[in-house]
Amino acid sequence: MHFGSAMVVIDKVQCAQIINEIILMKVLGLETSCDETGIAIYDTDKGLIAHKIYSQIAQHAEYGGVVPELASRDHVRKTLPLIDEVLLEAGMTKNQLDAIAYTSGPGLVGALMAGATIGRSLAYSLGIPALGVHHMEGHLLAPMLEESQPEMPFIALLVSGGHTQLVRVDAIGEYRLLGQSLDDAAGEAFDKAAKMIGLPYPGGPQIAALAKKGNPKSGLKLPRPMTDRPGLDFSFSGLKTAFLTAVHLALDEERCDEQFKADAALAFETAVVDTLVIKCRRALEAEGLKQLIIAGGVSANERLREQLEAQLKKIKANVFYARPEFCTDNGAMIAYAGAQRLLHGQSSGLSLSIRARWPLSELPPLKES
Ligand code: KG4
Ligand code: ZN
């Protein structure tokens, strides 16, 4: 091995020690972009060793959606105690951490600032690197925390409260946007439809639960937007309007009872799922790929998982996803995504930089340090 002009001879054991020091890292991940405080520790040798999620949903529920100021204040209150709980669960002290990864965008500015400030300051006090992580890259890589993992290249369907995107993934940081929603995100559409029939926020899981009591032969038919023309973009605002029209009609005709709401929930969920499945299959065929990952809150939807499995079998393709708690916002995905970049020598400077909007395509590829 050469260091400058001097030649240093090292034996195999020393070489293994140096390599281990470079590739073994315990990374603390902080997620505070919206209404969940997620904290986790990812060990690049052992995998995920501890994680906790604190959800603010109950605080926002009475307002029918996330109140940004309440969200930031609660992250400030909860982040440090939750870090202590996660360290306790891992049987570690702060001094054993090698790096800190925090979500630096996209998301709510105040909420992002809370996690970024705590993460950056803690890393500074411990003298370890810190890295701002892209929230959607975190979601995209969350299926990698599971046993069954895809190999790159693959197609990713990112479906959260703020995003609906189809992305070709050739490597970490090598993302090509194939299509996206021109208006509402799928999760947002679920949330708004739920509100229309009096269900609380967040609406996705509520609609999914109510849909189980729905009658598939109710006769309520909703559109599968933009599936009758080529392309990989989505639009959910027309579907939302069709849903609202059906609800108004039922109200006028005094038949908006519990069974109607369950039938409507089923019709809505099926319409969104069918639309997503059609576009996923189209993206795989267009790119000649056989592996799909789904990520983000809506990927927790059971009907979506079942339908994708059934439909992709027909073209000999496979779908991969994370366990439900890692589909919605969590710290594990941020610790994992951060670790991949930190291992390659990437880190953020001392000044804080957060981005409310941040296209995934602007992320740098991984480079060997
Ligand atoms: O990824 P996420 O936790 O937060 C964002 O980054 O936006 O996604 C939250 C969204 C919400 O819109 C919620 O209604 C939706 O994911 N969601 C679901 C389900 N679980 C969460 N939508 C449909 N079915 C579900 N089971
Ligand atoms: Zn998210």
Side-chain angles (χ1 to χ4, degrees):
M1 189 176 276
H2 282 85
F3 291 101
S5 57
M7 194 170 90
V8 181
V9 180
I10 57 170
D11 63 22
K12 272 189 188 164
V13 177
Q14 285 171 311
C15 190
Q17 276 170 353
I18 291 171
I19 290 170
N20 273 352
E21 271 170 32
I22 298 169
I23 63 170
L24 298 186
M25 265 188 162
K26 290 184 182 65
V27 179
L28 175 71
L30 312 183
E31 157 59 32
T32 67
S33 68
C34 191
D35 58 351
E36 257 106 26
T37 314
I39 312 289
I41 299 172
Y42 182 80
D43 182 327
T44 54
D45 183 32
K46 300 190 181 108
L48 188 67
I49 50 177
H51 77 95
K52 285 201 181 287
I53 301 170
Y54 166 77
S55 174
Q56 307 175 345
I57 283 172
Q59 287 185 47
H60 300 289
E62 63 175 298
Y63 302 97
V66 179
V67 183
E69 183 57 24
L70 285 183
S72 347
R73 283 166 191 251
D74 212 38
H75 288 307
V76 170
R77 271 193 296 268
K78 293 294 180 334
T79 304
L80 281 174
L82 215 55
I83 291 175
D84 287 338
E85 281 183 37
V86 166
L87 284 166
L88 195 68
E89 188 180 303
M92 285 172 59
T93 65
K94 287 188 182 73
N95 292 322
Q96 289 170 289
L97 293 170
D98 298 299
I100 297 181
Y102 54 86
T103 305
S104 55
L108 302 171
V109 173
L112 290 167
M113 269 313 264
T117 312
I118 293 171
R120 183 58 271 185
S121 316
L122 188 56
Y124 180 72
S125 71
L126 295 170
I128 56 177
L131 177 71
V133 172
H134 193 294
H135 181 77
M136 296 313 290
E137 181 170 72
H139 275 307
L140 194 156
L141 296 176
M144 299 301 194
L145 290 161
E146 306 302 339
E147 235 166 70
S148 163
Q149 301 172 0
E151 275 173 26
M152 293 176 194
F154 55 72
I155 300 289
L157 171 72
L158 304 178
V159 265
S160 67
H163 293 78
T164 298
Q165 296 184 328
L166 273 165
V167 180
R168 181 189 165 107
V169 179
D170 284 293
I172 292 178
E174 291 176 36
Y175 307 129
R176 187 154 57 82
L177 185 65
L178 303 173
Q180 64 183 330
S181 178
L182 305 177
D183 38 59
D184 290 356
E188 191 181 356
F190 266 111
D191 296 340
K192 288 178 178 169
K195 213 171 183 176
M196 291 172 198
I197 51 171
L199 296 174
Y201 174 86
Q206 300 281 342
I207 292 250
L210 188 58
K212 289 201 163 75
K213 297 181 196 151
N215 176 5
K217 297 200 175 104
S218 72
L220 180 56
K221 190 96 179 99
L222 295 170
R224 274 71 177 146
M226 294 181 75
T227 52
D228 56 354
R229 65 186 98 154
L232 295 169
D233 284 333
F234 304 87
S235 164
F236 291 107
S237 72
L239 170 60
K240 206 177 55 188
T241 309
F243 183 81
L244 185 63
T245 308
V247 172
H248 279 165
L249 192 66
L251 281 169
D252 288 348
E253 294 173 358
E254 291 179 0
R255 54 179 176 80
C256 192
D257 55 10
E258 285 313 301
Q259 189 56 49
F260 170 81
K261 288 182 186 174
D263 294 346
L266 177 60
F268 186 82
E269 186 187 40
T270 314
V272 175
V273 166
D274 285 358
T275 307
L276 295 173
V277 172
I278 290 168
K279 298 282 167 131
C280 284
R281 186 171 166 169
R282 203 180 274 177
L284 286 165
E285 286 174 336
E287 294 296 314
L289 296 176
K290 294 285 180 197
Q291 299 176 100
L292 172 80
I293 66 124
I294 54 171
V298 182
S299 70
N301 186 278
E302 278 174 36
R303 186 177 304 276
L304 177 63
R305 292 170 172 215
E306 286 164 13
Q307 284 300 311
L308 276 171
E309 257 153 33
Q311 294 300 320
L312 296 196
K313 214 182 229 175
K314 296 179 187 166
I315 56 164
K316 296 195 169 52
N318 292 313
V319 58
F320 300 82
Y321 39 74
R323 70 198 86 165
E325 65 183 324
F326 292 165
C327 290
T328 44
D329 294 348
N330 65 86
M333 67 184 195
I334 301 303
Y336 178 83
Q340 307 315 306
R341 291 187 173 276
L342 285 153
L343 277 177
H344 284 75
Q346 294 185 11
S347 63
S348 304
L350 282 181
S351 62
L352 276 183
S353 155
I354 52 130
R355 291 181 66 176
R357 290 176 186 275
W358 187 4
L360 200 55
S361 56
E362 284 182 17
L363 281 175
L366 291 187
K367 288 193 200 88
E368 293 302 327
S369 54

